Amino acid sequence: MVTSPVALVPDRPAARSLIRRSLLRLLLALVLLLAAADATFAVRGGRPGQAQPVADTRVQIAQLPIPTLPIPTLPIPIGSTTTTTVAATTTTVATTTTTTGPTGTTTTTTVGTCAPIVPSAAIPNTYRLDGTTGEKRCTTNSAANRFGTCNTDADCGGTSGACLQLPWVTADGQVMPFPTGVQTTFTVTPGSFPTCEHSACVPCGNPHASCAGIPGCEVAGNPNGCIPRGTQGCCNQPGFIVPTFFVNILGGLCSRVDQIDCGVGVVNTSNPQTGDNDVIKMADTSDPGADCCYNGHPASECLGGVNLNDDPAPALCTATGAGNDFKGKIVRTLGNNSPDTNGIQFRLSTPELSTTWTDGQSPQGTCANGSTYDDGELLVSQLVLKAEPTSAGASGAFVDMNGDGCRRAGSGFIAPTNPDTDGPITVPGGTAGPLRPQSYDGTVGPVTGAVSEVFSGPNSPIRDIGFVAITPNSPAVVVPAVTCSCTPVAGCPE
């Protein structure tokens, strides 16, 4: 018996129903796929106001919320290290290192770096500060508003000539406009964070080379009466340079400053500022003896660390007594127990020889550029200065350290009859100024100032004097490298 195969043909209406259901499932799948794959498209919309309705329509069709797509994060493998560099405020950069240990513990170490002296330049470098002009300030001898800003002498208590544009120098009340061509070149050895106090060195070369600016002090036998240090030469590669300038007294004089030894100092770039670079100098004209300390004072104040108790008998406290020699004592104190103003602070010390004379080659009442002190010209005064300009603040005074009743025999800071002539004379820094640091971003230069005392001795009619110098500077610049090494030698009076 042969059986013929029978084809099973579905009922046509049922087949159509199956096709419809399949198409509907496919359509729903496509809707869900589009909703998931282009979730942001519905948020954008083609025109303002369309974005939200499109998204709502899709949700209604699908009857499902639009899925949220999570952004995967990569776990930090155990034992790995990640480093992040973060810039703090303006110039201080902190490097943060995070380490995940085997037990899941995390250790974070932050190492800071010091702000640069010149933006984008390495701290160990050779730099130069160039003197420039500044605002008008009342001078040391002002009857009022000393060192304050001014427009006319009336702002300085009516003292004639007291409102003067910076830079200027005063000594025993005499006011001398200072040249703007002052230059200080120095090298820097970097310090460490967070103090960021970097060592500075002002080069000199040979401190006893022939001094081209004062040939009158190199004549055999010293007939022109130069002080002993004036006959011993000066630096042939000075880092500190001051052009010859005019002094408007006694009919017009010439004056110059020559560096006579290497100098040292610091540049502090901490941010916020933590340094304390105010310089305070107190002086007593009485002779402290060979040990440079007064009888009974601590040995720490004495040369060699031993008090020899060798003070000579006190001289009369007059210009012809205690004021008639180069002897005395100056005590320097660093800092005023308060952090300096934020910014890059400079403090640089340079031993100098100041020479003032009547110049035979300059027209009467002038001092020609490049004038030198020559043989036969009248030497008015010659002083050894150990100026220490600082941008933080400076102060000085004559005080009686040994109790003999004599602190000064001479004009002091202003004039013998002025009640303020002994000081203290303080040139402030910070907001009031005139002294200020350089800005961290290098757009504003520092204003530096020095206050100190000088025992000028018999070759100067003003004897014991105090001087103040205020110098605005352009921002520091990097210059070709020079070498500098300096070990200061302790001496007297300072």
Side-chain angles (χ1 to χ4, degrees), residues 140 169-176 383 411-414 462 465-468:
T140 311
V169 178
T170 65
D172 74 298
Q174 298 296 327
V175 181
M176 296 165 280
L383 314 172
S411 296
F413 282 97
I414 303 174
I462 50 181
I465 63 168
F467 74 88
V468 176

Side-chain angles (χ1 to χ4, degrees), residues 11-343:
D11 181 66
R12 293 183 183 275
R16 284 196 293 271
S17 177
L18 177 61
I19 291 171
R20 289 191 191 99
R21 287 194 298 271
S22 299
L23 289 173
L24 182 58
R25 291 190 184 98
L26 178 60
L27 179 60
L28 291 173
L30 287 172
V31 171
L32 288 172
L33 180 63
L34 288 171
D38 196 19
T40 59
F41 177 79
V43 177
R44 296 188 187 111
R47 292 189 301 274
Q50 285 190 341
Q52 189 60 43
V54 172
D56 290 345
T57 302
R58 291 180 178 175
V59 171
Q60 292 165 6
I61 293 174
Q63 297 295 309
L64 291 170
I66 298 174
T68 301
L69 298 178
I71 300 175
T73 57
L74 298 177
I76 299 174
I78 293 177
S80 67
T81 300
T82 59
T83 302
T84 304
T85 300
V86 180
T89 56
T90 53
T91 52
T92 303
V93 177
T95 301
T96 302
T97 302
T98 303
T99 303
T100 303
T103 61
T105 59
T106 300
T107 301
T108 301
T109 304
T110 301
V111 179
T113 56
C114 297
I117 298 171
V118 172
S120 302
I123 289 175
N125 236 313
T126 301
Y127 301 88
R128 188 181 69 233
L129 286 173
D130 294 310
T132 185
T133 56
E135 71 275 16
K136 287 185 175 182
R137 292 273 178 171
C138 295
T139 57
T140 311
N141 61 333
S142 298
N145 195 32
R146 180 180 295 145
F147 307 132
T149 56
C150 61
N151 293 310
T152 68
D153 290 346
D155 299 322
C156 306
T159 303
S160 178
C163 183
L164 191 65
Q165 184 179 26
L166 297 174
W168 47 251
V169 178
T170 65
D172 74 298
Q174 298 296 327
V175 181
M176 296 165 280
F178 212 49
T180 57
V182 176
Q183 293 184 344
T184 307
T185 300
F186 55 97
T187 63
V188 169
T189 301
S192 58
F193 184 86
T195 57
C196 297
E197 188 137 293
H198 317 294
S199 299
C201 181
V202 183
C204 167
N206 179 5
H208 297 292
S210 177
C211 205
I214 52 172
C217 290
E218 298 182 348
V219 179
N222 190 26
N224 296 307
C226 299
I227 65 172
R229 184 60 186 88
T231 66
Q232 299 168 14
C234 59
C235 300
N236 61 349
Q237 297 175 4
F240 181 69
I241 298 175
V242 180
T244 301
F245 59 98
F246 176 67
V247 179
N248 191 22
I249 59 173
L250 301 178
L253 306 174
C254 281
S255 189
R256 63 176 295 117
V257 175
D258 292 287
Q259 186 179 341
I260 55 176
D261 210 342
C262 60
V264 295
V266 300
V267 181
N268 192 303
T269 66
S270 55
N271 184 7
Q273 183 60 242
T274 59
D276 192 359
N277 284 293
D278 293 73
V279 177
I280 304 167
K281 294 191 176 184
M282 303 296 181
D284 187 337
T285 189
S286 300
D287 185 355
D291 56 5
C292 201
C293 64
Y294 296 114
N295 292 349
H297 280 217
S300 59
E301 297 181 5
C302 309
L303 288 177
V306 177
N307 192 326
L308 302 177
N309 292 302
D310 60 347
D311 296 5
L316 293 176
C317 198
T318 62
T320 56
N324 200 39
D325 58 35
F326 305 111
K327 298 174 182 179
K329 184 173 179 64
I330 298 175
V331 175
R332 167 186 173 270
T333 302
L334 184 61
N336 63 350
N337 298 316
S338 178
D340 297 331
T341 302
N342 280 344

